[in-house]
Amino acid sequence: MSQKKIDFGIMLNGPGSHMHAWKSNEVPSDASTNFEYQLDIAKRAERAGFSFVFVADGLYIHEKSIPHFLDRHEPITLLAALAPITQKIGLVGTISTSYSEPFTVARQLATIDNISHGRAGWNVVTSPLEGSADNYSKGAHPEHDTRYDIAEEHIQVVQGLWDSYEDDAFKFDSDKGEYLDKNKMHTLDYKGEYFQVKGPLNASRSEQGQPVIFQAGASPKGQDYAAKYADAVFTLGESKESAQRNYESIKDQAKDYGRNPDEVRVYPILAPVIAKTESEVEARFENIKTLANIDEALDYLGRYYDHHDFSQYDLDAPFPDLGEVGQNSFRATADAIADRAKTNHLTLREVALEETVRRSPFMGTYEDVADLIIEWVEDGAADGFIFGPHIYGAVYDEFLENVLPILEEKGYYDKAFHGETLRDHLGLPFKENRYTQSKQSRVTN
């Protein structure tokens, strides 16, 4: 019996990952802004032993956007609200490096990390949609690879600011009148191409040292960034074979950067379609497919190509050759869609409907899906999973009540938290302060 724990995070994604999940009678139509509903999801996940909740975000919408993206909570504010009314579960939020200032990001996340006693995480994104630039005063939307160059400086600044104080810098010694040991306060003085930030940050470190870094870049540039900086990496997990390739690539690149690959956790998206019997599974999947018509599916597909208008093409002709369209948006996803369409000789109609509700690898009975989860972990495709079903409701209930107990019985899951911080939950070491490390190194040498 294996003693490893399979980690699970859960997406706080409103009604679900399907573009029209809000139509389902299993969830509130206003789930994307219904705080009580989201709190219930988070608390149930905490009771079940999930390691973290994850809040996605975007900075650009229009009338054809996914409906529950039109009105949703800003991640940092939502996590700050959850922090004092949860006890153990990690709190991970998305913030863009292209459209935010490092000092502000460092301060916001350090505050949540301290309020939650070391449970904060940052999902670092570069914002793929070009329309995001129209909502900020930063000029044109940066090119794909340039966004990652900006992100590299951004995270260097943020992590540098998080080390402004050594862990024992604050004395609070009223007898001596010593609030702070000034020798343990450090100014960053960062000077880069995109950011010039002096510091120090007016926020101390938390019980885990620094917030956990999450990243989901799938392009070569994105994977390189993840291997260099991320503690946890999201992958699409379209098949076990593709998940294995991503897993191996990320771990190998992390090792090339001198990192311990075991300290870079890899989490494919888990969007299971489960039921007691195979016939019930298929019926549930067919019901999900009815939520969107072809026009809505075309709008959804267009999002990956910076809201490209697919209605101009013949629906039943082969998927169109789009050239450079989408290359400055969701590049890896756009390339994967085009490759799959070409390999499988799919029409535009077939691609659009497939993207709206992709047949998950994790479709089956409770036992089948539990066994498949174990297989992926044992075969080097995942360290854990991000649970993000098409629709919350029955699938969430049944996963907690029927799949997790099987994993627990087989020794692959333990709903008890071992430790207090998010790093504890993920099996990651405390993030040492760079200045303390430097002093220790000098003493050792």
Side-chain angles (χ1 to χ4, degrees):
M1 180 179 290
S2 171
Q3 296 303 306
K4 69 177 68 175
K5 177 184 177 182
I6 299 175
D7 293 313
F8 289 100
I10 186 166
M11 298 275 286
L12 280 185
N13 199 18
S17 61
H18 190 281
M19 68 176 297
H20 283 305
W22 68 275
K23 293 181 181 179
S24 172
N25 59 13
E26 296 182 30
V27 294
S29 296
D30 65 346
S32 62
T33 53
N34 187 325
F35 179 72
E36 289 73 20
Y37 174 74
Q38 294 175 358
L39 176 60
D40 180 65
I41 287 177
K43 284 195 167 183
R44 292 176 66 199
E46 184 170 59
R47 289 195 297 271
F50 278 53
S51 295
F52 58 89
V53 297
F54 168 77
V55 183
D57 197 29
L59 303 177
Y60 172 64
I61 59 166
H62 65 21
E63 69 279 1
K64 292 185 178 181
S65 295
I66 295 171
H68 56 273
F69 284 8
L70 298 174
D71 180 22
R72 56 178 172 172
H73 294 312
E74 187 277 319
I76 295 302
T77 310
L78 177 57
L79 295 180
L82 289 173
I85 50 178
T86 54
Q87 285 75 48
K88 296 281 190 177
I89 198 163
L91 305 167
V92 183
T94 300
I95 308 177
S96 169
T97 55
S98 301
Y99 296 101
S100 61
E101 289 295 330
F103 190 92
T104 302
V105 171
R107 193 179 187 200
Q108 289 172 321
L109 286 165
T111 299
I112 290 176
D113 211 25
N114 278 302
I115 291 173
S116 66
H117 301 288
R119 294 187 283 131
W122 174 22
N123 178 42
V124 181
V125 299
T126 65
S127 293
L129 295 175
E130 290 197 32
S132 302
D134 295 332
N135 292 327
Y136 293 84
S137 304
K138 291 178 173 284
H141 188 59
E143 187 273 333
H144 179 277
D145 286 359
T146 301
R147 294 201 301 272
Y148 278 101
D149 293 337
I150 295 169
E152 179 141 15
E153 286 196 9
H154 197 292
I155 197 169
Q156 289 172 357
V157 174
V158 169
Q159 291 189 312
L161 290 171
W162 282 337
D163 280 349
S164 293
Y165 298 105
E166 295 176 44
D167 295 302
D168 57 350
F170 289 94
K171 298 299 184 182
F172 305 118
D173 190 333
S174 57
D175 292 335
K176 295 182 179 179
E178 187 179 17
Y179 193 88
L180 169 74
D181 181 344
K182 295 179 182 178
N183 293 319
K184 296 184 177 182
M185 174 181 177
H186 302 279
T187 300
L188 182 62
D189 273 331
Y190 187 95
K191 293 180 174 63
E193 181 179 353
Y194 303 102
F195 300 104
Q196 297 79 45
V197 179
K198 183 177 181 180
L201 185 70
N202 51 344
S204 60
R205 283 160 50 91
S206 78
E207 285 89 332
Q208 65 176 348
Q210 291 188 4
V212 177
I213 300 298
F214 287 72
Q215 213 272 329
S219 67
K221 190 85 170 180
Q223 273 204 6
D224 179 77
Y225 183 91
K228 191 172 183 179
Y229 294 106
D231 302 302
V233 184
F234 297 155
T235 62
L236 293 176
E238 296 177 351
S239 68
K240 188 175 84 168
E241 292 71 28
S242 67
Q244 285 173 314
R245 289 193 296 271
N246 285 328
Y247 186 95
E248 183 177 8
S249 175
I250 291 164
K251 300 280 187 173
D252 286 347
Q253 290 182 72
K255 191 174 181 179
D256 290 342
Y257 278 116
R259 303 183 64 195
N260 181 348
D262 292 336
E263 294 176 6
V264 182
R265 310 284 290 173
V266 177
Y267 298 94
I269 296 294
L270 177 64
V273 181
I274 53 176
K276 188 181 298 184
T277 66
E278 288 290 347
S279 61
E280 290 174 316
V281 170
E282 288 299 325
R284 178 167 280 170
F285 184 66
E286 290 301 315
N287 181 62
I288 296 170
K289 287 166 65 175
T290 66
L291 292 174
N293 60 40
I294 185 59
D295 292 331
E296 293 165 336
L298 291 174
D299 289 342
Y300 183 81
L301 179 64
R303 178 174 176 268
Y304 293 123
Y305 296 84
D306 205 35
H307 291 289
H308 183 67
D309 181 10
F310 279 96
S311 66
Q312 61 188 292
Y313 305 107
D314 182 348
L315 279 172
D316 298 307
F319 187 76
D321 182 356
L322 298 172
E324 293 298 307
V325 175
Q327 291 302 293
N328 199 30
S329 188
F330 293 89
R331 177 179 293 183
T333 302
D335 287 345
I337 291 170
D339 289 345
R340 190 165 53 252
K342 184 176 181 179
T343 300
N344 298 323
H345 308 289
L346 301 177
T347 66
L348 173 59
R349 184 192 301 274
E350 290 169 329
V351 170
L353 292 173
E354 183 181 85
E355 284 304 312
T356 305
V357 53
R358 185 86 56 80
R359 182 174 283 270
S360 169
F362 295 92
M363 286 183 61
T365 65
Y366 309 133
E367 186 78 38
D368 289 342
V369 168
D371 287 343
L372 194 57
I373 287 171
I374 293 170
E375 181 183 314
W376 277 45
V377 171
E378 290 289 1
D379 291 352
D383 293 312
F385 296 87
I386 304 294
F387 183 77
H390 301 295
I391 305 166
Y392 286 96
V395 167
Y396 187 30
D397 296 340
E398 292 170 30
F399 188 82
L400 297 183
E401 295 166 8
N402 298 287
V403 177
L404 287 186
I406 295 172
L407 296 175
E408 196 168 14
E409 182 182 348
K410 294 187 176 186
Y412 283 88
Y413 188 71
D414 182 358
K415 65 182 179 182
F417 288 98
H418 299 283
E420 301 297 324
T421 72
L422 179 53
R423 291 183 181 275
D424 291 336
H425 305 341
L426 303 186
L428 299 172
F430 176 84
K431 185 72 171 179
E432 297 287 348
N433 184 291
R434 67 190 65 192
Y435 302 105
T436 305
Q437 285 182 310
S438 177
K439 291 175 182 177
Q440 291 171 344
S441 177
R442 289 197 298 272
V443 170
T444 302
N445 293 331

